[in-house]
Structures are given as structure tokens and as C-alpha cells.
Amino acid sequence: MKKIIHIPTIKDDGPGYEKILGIAREVFDDPYHHFDFDFSRCAMIDHNAVVVLGALARYVDYHNTQMKLSKSMLLFSRSLANVRSAPNVAGVMFLVETMNSAVRERLIGNNFLSHFSSGSLEGYPTGGYLGYREHNYLQDADKIADHLQNEWLSASKLRLSDKLKPAITSRILEVFSNAYGHGVSIQDIKTMGVYSCGQFNNKDKTLNISVLDFGPGIITNVKRVRGDMSNIDAMHWALVKGNSTRTDSQLSNIPRGLGLDLLHNFVHVNGGELRIHSNDVKVISNKTSGLIVEECSGDLRGTMVSIKINCDDRYYRFTSEAEPTQQQYF
Amino acid sequence: MEKIKVFELTGRNAISMQNGEKLYNALHSKLMDGQKIEINFEKVNLFASPFFNASIGLLLKDIEVGNLQKQLSVTDLSDVGRDLLNHVISNAITFYKNSENVSKAIDQTEANNNDE
């Protein structure tokens, strides 16, 4: 049976995250369908929604592939008749014909549609671009690092200083390390990878990235090792420097638990924003709100980390400069 | 003083636990023997905490931080890498101070989970 899902305007803000997680929940609850994503009510879509839509398409693909019926694809008008006449095709279709020009240009410009296209649209970027990426379920740290440094952060419209670029890369690598170490490596769906989408906002000179995995989620992982506690307490525990569920390696004697803390500090010093959605808890940290940990209406089967970074050196200091208590050993 | 070129162990990215283990294996027995070693990070550009956790962080299980500072010389490490290294060391000191209790608690919880 086919389901039509109307995508509203989704921005990189609180209501935007609620909307896209509501859509995710609808798909998670029953993925054994064909889904048409209709954009006729969508004026604009940001990176947070793009990464979820791409990951959802693969999620639906995975479940329907097991039924040998699947293929997520892009539907645009000239292939309409062919696709609709094909029986037993289950998957996701992004109805390009329903998109306004701004949405279409964004989803072409960030290379999203190219991942789901059975035909061809003009204007896809190549090489260095900020946009949608799918990363294999086998972590290749060098490949991700090279991609971030040489492609992602080398996009022509993004001008980062030599000082800020390695700092940003290092912190984004922490996000990927968490996604693989605590997500992909122990997920039930073995072949799902990590999904990311970057976006540069020229107006406020901010760099945004969302990274999503389909692992057990932070709350589930914490409860597995710490026992029964409230979901909010579990997230607070995960945010404390040095706390780790040790899911990233069987080696128990290695100190860890720095990734989220480093990321949080960096974003704080930078005046940016950190959002984490995992299971049914969300974290928001920015200058205005401080740190907020609260339950959210959607239950994300995995973890999505989104960060907003100011790309101006004026907002840059090393985290140790902001933490005078941090001892300098070397 | 012996010089270990990290680039020859890891390439230009010092990110993963696996690469961290390589550095740890190159250092551990020599430091335990009291040798002084220079670790040189020339041409290593990118860093993430799993690498330092599994290398320098793990060394602190067996070596006091004061001795590590005396025996280890860190050269050509970028500002980003040095900042991260100091965070990892600070975290590792706390970790090993508390590790016995925490590890036992986690192991017990996991054992309980497996029994259910």
C-alpha cells in the first residue's frame, strides 16, 4: 500500500526538528510500504530534514529489500508513467514535480537528489561541496577525515582560516567517531551506515552539519550499562566528561568519554549550537538557552547530532583557553 | 633519545583507536624501562580523541603523569592536537583514579543484563 507523506517547510529550529522527527516516527512505525514524499507544502528545507529524509529512504529500502520489493528513487515527471505502472515496487519516492524551485535547487545543489535518482537532473555538484553524504557502515576514519578536510570544508563558498579549519574538522570527527563507535558498530541493522548533511548559511556565516546513525541510541546504551534510570538522567550521564558506555571497543581499560564534552565545549566557545536527538530525549545547547535536556515527542531509533558553527575567527578559541582549569601537560 | 615518527605509524590522520594502539605498542615497554622518547607529529594533520585515548591515555594506566612528562617529549604537534592531548591526559588521570569502581559497576550491570 502506498503512503503519501506531505513534507512541510522544515527549518533548522525547534519546530523544524519536531516536524521531521514526527515524519521519521511515522516511517519507523511501519516501514513496509511505498512512500511518496510530496513537497507541495514545503517552502524550504534545511540540512536537519535532508539528512533524516535520506536516512529514512535507506531505512525503508532496507526493510523492503528483505521482502525483495525495494528501490528508493527519485520521481520526476517524465518517468511518472513508467514508475507508476511498475507493480510491487516499494520504497521511497521524492516527488520532484511537487517541489518549488528553491527546494528543488537546494536538493540538487546539496547532491541529495542524485543519491535517489534513476534519471538525471542537471546541476549536481562534484568534488568539494557542502551537502548530503552517505557513509559506509564500515568505518574508514581516513576516508571520512579526507572527505571533511579536502571536500566538505573545501567547498568554494566556505572560507575558513587555517586556524579554524583543523579545529572544526577535529570536532566533527568526534561526531563521526561517536556515530560509528556507539551506533553503527552495535546496531541491529548491520548494513545501515552513517548519514550526514552539511549546509552553509551565507547570511549569518554559519556552518551546519547533521550526522545520523541507526544505532541503539544514547539512552538505550546508557541504560544497558548503568541500569534503570530515567531517560533524562541517562542523557545527563552521557554528557558528563569521562562517562562512557564502552560500546566503541571491547577494551575496557581505555579512558574515553570525551567526544560529547569536547563537542559541547567547542560549540559553546564558538557561540554556536549543539542539538542531540536520541531515542526520546533531546539536548539543546546554545548561548541563549544554555543546556537543555528534555523529552521530545518523537522517538528517534538512533542518534542525530546537529551542530551550528560560527565560521568567523573572532568566535574561535581553543577549549583549554576557555577552561583555565585545564592543565597543560605537554 | 629515540624518536618515533607518528606519521610512519598512522599516516596523516591520528583519529582511530586502532592507530592509537600502534603508538601505544611502540611506546609502552620502552617507557616502562625508563627510556626517554620523542614522539614527533610532523605531517600528522588531524586528530580525534579515540587516538589519544588508546595511546597516551592508556599509558597512564601504568605510568604516573609526572614520569610521563619527564620521559616523553612531544614535538611538531599542532595546536589543535596539543589541546586535545591535554584534555585526554586530564580525563585519563581521572579515569584511572576512579576506574576500578566504575569498571566493576559496569561489568556487574552487564553481567546482570546477560543473566536476564
Side-chain angles (χ1 to χ4, degrees):
Chain A
M1 190 181 78
K2 182 162 80 174
K3 280 190 172 181
I4 297 175
I5 295 185
H6 290 277
I7 304 295
T9 297
I10 303 180
K11 294 182 179 174
D12 179 26
D13 57 16
Y17 282 88
E18 293 291 329
K19 287 179 196 171
I20 192 61
L21 291 175
I23 290 168
R25 188 173 59 244
E26 189 175 343
V27 176
F28 282 143
D29 285 348
D30 189 7
Y32 296 101
H33 289 280
H34 173 85
F35 294 89
D36 274 357
F37 284 84
D38 182 312
F39 291 79
S40 56
R41 300 172 190 170
C42 177
M44 185 41 78
I45 187 164
D46 276 333
H47 61 98
N48 51 334
V50 174
V51 73
V52 173
L53 289 179
L56 282 180
R58 298 311 181 199
Y59 186 85
V60 170
D61 260 358
Y62 173 84
H63 285 84
N64 289 290
T65 298
Q66 295 201 316
M67 298 167 66
K68 301 187 186 305
L69 292 176
S70 170
K71 189 65 188 170
S72 283
M73 59 194 301
L74 164 70
L75 177 62
F76 48 100
S77 54
R78 63 175 176 270
S79 65
L80 187 62
N82 290 338
V83 172
R84 282 199 175 150
S85 65
N88 296 330
V89 174
V92 166
M93 288 192 185
F94 299 106
L95 304 180
V96 174
E97 61 187 356
T98 65
M99 297 175 187
N100 67 30
S101 59
V103 171
R104 182 192 296 227
E105 280 170 23
R106 172 158 287 180
L107 295 181
I108 291 173
N110 66 13
N111 241 345
F112 176 79
L113 292 179
S114 74
H115 287 80
F116 305 98
S117 176
S118 60
S120 62
L121 291 171
E122 290 184 1
Y124 291 127
T126 55
Y129 71 93
L130 282 166
Y132 177 77
R133 307 261 183 174
E134 296 182 348
H135 310 272
N136 194 289
Y137 64 95
L138 296 170
Q139 183 180 15
D140 185 338
D142 285 337
K143 194 173 175 186
I144 291 173
D146 289 344
H147 149 63
L148 288 173
Q149 185 90 333
N150 303 327
E151 295 179 16
W152 209 78
L153 294 176
S154 292
S156 56
K157 58 188 168 187
L158 186 64
R159 293 205 175 98
L160 292 174
S161 72
D162 291 341
K163 196 175 170 187
L164 191 53
K165 188 172 173 180
I168 291 176
T169 310
S170 175
R171 293 306 180 260
I172 295 175
L173 282 169
E174 298 288 345
V175 180
F176 278 95
S177 291
N178 272 346
Y180 278 100
H182 303 296
V184 173
S185 64
I186 52 170
Q187 66 190 356
D188 292 332
I189 307 173
K190 298 298 178 197
T191 55
M192 297 296 284
V194 170
Y195 304 86
S196 69
C197 189
Q199 184 175 307
F200 181 67
N201 287 337
N202 200 33
K203 191 177 171 187
D204 54 7
K205 306 288 184 214
T206 57
L207 175 66
N208 303 271
I209 183 170
S210 288
V211 177
L212 187 151
D213 71 76
F214 285 110
I218 294 171
I219 306 306
T220 305
N221 281 340
V222 170
K223 286 186 168 184
R224 185 177 54 76
V225 299
R226 297 292 295 172
D228 192 34
M229 59 188 352
S230 79
N231 291 355
I232 299 294
D233 287 347
M235 182 60 88
H236 275 295
W237 185 89
L239 291 171
V240 172
K241 182 179 182 179
N243 282 350
S244 172
T245 56
R246 305 191 324 199
T247 43
D248 54 348
S249 168
Q250 295 304 309
L251 299 171
S252 61
N253 274 331
I254 292 180
R256 23 160 101 76
L258 271 180
L260 286 180
D261 184 67
L262 289 166
L263 191 64
H264 187 208
N265 279 339
F266 177 76
V267 169
H268 175 73
V269 169
N270 175 266
E273 181 174 85
L274 168 68
R275 285 178 184 266
I276 302 170
H277 289 84
S278 193
N279 303 126
D280 61 353
V281 175
K282 66 180 174 187
V283 177
I284 306 166
S285 177
N286 59 40
K287 217 169 191 173
T288 312
S289 68
L291 177 69
I292 297 172
V293 180
E294 58 188 23
E295 292 191 359
C296 59
S297 52
D299 184 354
L300 180 63
R301 295 180 191 177
T303 300
M304 177 163 70
V305 176
S306 302
I307 53 177
K308 183 195 296 279
I309 300 167
N310 285 300
C311 290
D312 189 324
D313 273 354
R314 285 176 299 174
Y315 294 102
Y316 178 68
R317 281 181 295 164
F318 285 110
T319 50
S320 51
E321 290 173 32
E323 293 176 83
T325 54
Q326 172 61 54
Q327 193 167 337
Q328 305 299 300
Y329 299 96
F330 286 99
Chain B
M1 185 189 295
E2 184 180 346
K3 182 175 182 176
I4 292 176
K5 292 187 175 182
V6 177
F7 180 81
E8 291 175 1
L9 296 174
T10 70
R12 61 190 178 280
N13 302 318
I15 300 164
S16 65
M17 275 193 173
Q18 290 77 13
N19 276 342
E21 284 177 50
K22 291 179 191 171
L23 180 58
Y24 173 84
N25 290 333
L27 290 170
H28 183 256
S29 59
K30 291 170 184 169
L31 291 172
M32 293 298 283
D33 289 343
Q35 293 182 39
K36 290 190 174 182
I37 304 174
E38 175 188 349
I39 46 174
N40 179 274
F41 285 90
E42 187 182 3
K43 294 195 281 188
V44 182
N45 297 322
L46 293 176
F47 302 90
S49 62
F51 170 79
F52 282 126
N53 283 336
S55 55
I56 310 298
L58 186 56
L59 287 172
L60 291 163
K61 182 180 169 219
D62 298 321
I63 302 169
E64 291 285 329
V65 67
N67 291 335
L68 192 68
Q69 287 174 290
K70 285 177 196 162
Q71 290 179 251
L72 209 57
S73 165
V74 177
T75 56
D76 289 332
L77 182 59
S78 70
D79 289 345
V80 171
R82 198 170 292 273
D83 182 66
L84 187 56
L85 173 61
N86 284 317
H87 272 87
V88 164
I89 290 173
S90 178
N91 186 52
I93 291 169
T94 308
F95 176 83
Y96 288 119
K97 203 184 287 179
N98 304 328
S99 69
E100 199 174 334
N101 293 335
V102 173
S103 287
K104 276 182 185 169
I106 290 179
D107 290 342
Q108 186 59 51
T109 307
E110 289 186 331
N112 293 342
N113 290 341
N114 291 335
D115 289 342
E116 287 171 2

